[in-house]
Amino acid sequence: MPPTFSLVINAGGQSRRMGQDKALLTVPTSGQPLLHHIIQRLRHLPIEQLIVVSNHLTVAPFELPVTFVPDAYPGAGALGGIATGLQLCKAWGIFVACDMPLVNPRVFQFLCELANEQNAEGGDQWEAVVPHIDGYAQPLHALYQRRVLPAIQKRLAAGELRAASFLDDVRVRWVSETELRPIDPDFHSFFNANTPKEWTAAIRWLENEV
């Protein structure tokens, strides 16, 4: 049976470099807040529930039922956000940061297909499906099984807050640039808009999509 997916959007950051809440930036091409825009781009994935990790967001209703959950690990950064979201996942979680305006649903569909791979006993082959772009893991553009939560909590308890720290402790299907380039040649799906300059670049790319 195909796995059940939850879409988890981490909107718990403080947006210091942007100077305003990134999740609520207005996307000119749609007039929607960035958080809505990301959900709209990924809405056709096999999603059973939508989870937004945030301590303060107030936004208009979504087409999908949404659960807003405060960060259970304040001060623990993205790793704490991943752990918070996983606590509500039934099986697999599709994790994405709220500052990725160019997320590509075809990329995530490919990652979901990899999550379906089974071992010889008919169980899950992988516990995490993580792209590796430009020499770096992409932990907030990745898929995780709920069972990796103890590994994350162990790292948090040890004060190891690097978002990718727990990946050494679980079965990871690393996804290479070579595999992803036919789907997203410029890897725009992984672009983070952290500053006004990066947001301007993202808007320009979005306008070219229309």
Side-chain angles (χ1 to χ4, degrees), residues 86-100:
L86 269 178
Q87 289 176 345
L88 298 182
C89 291
K90 298 176 182 178
W92 281 94
I94 300 169
F95 282 76
V96 62
C98 73
D99 59 3
M100 292 180 153

Side-chain angles (χ1 to χ4, degrees), residues 129-153:
V129 179
V130 185
H132 201 265
I133 304 295
D134 196 26
Y136 294 94
Q138 303 293 320
L140 276 178
H141 189 298
L143 274 60
Y144 304 113
Q145 250 283 355
R146 192 184 191 283
R147 68 171 65 100
V148 308
L149 183 56
I152 298 175
Q153 292 171 326

Side-chain angles (χ1 to χ4, degrees), residues 39-120:
I39 293 168
Q40 284 291 97
R41 286 177 76 95
L42 301 179
R43 69 188 185 279
H44 294 307
L45 294 174
I47 298 166
E48 182 181 53
Q49 64 174 340
L50 171 60
I51 300 163
V52 177
V53 179
S54 174
N55 291 318
H56 58 276
L57 277 183
T58 301
V59 294
F62 297 95
E63 294 179 6
L64 294 172
V66 57
T67 299
F68 284 91
V69 57
D71 194 338
Y73 302 88
L79 187 60
I82 294 172
T84 300
L86 269 178
Q87 289 176 345
L88 298 182
C89 291
K90 298 176 182 178
W92 281 94
I94 300 169
F95 282 76
V96 62
C98 73
D99 59 3
M100 292 180 153
L102 297 144
V103 285
N104 187 329
R106 294 178 59 227
V107 171
F108 275 102
Q109 183 63 54
F110 178 59
L111 302 184
C112 288
E113 291 170 3
L114 295 176
N116 273 314
E117 294 180 347
Q118 296 186 328
N119 57 30

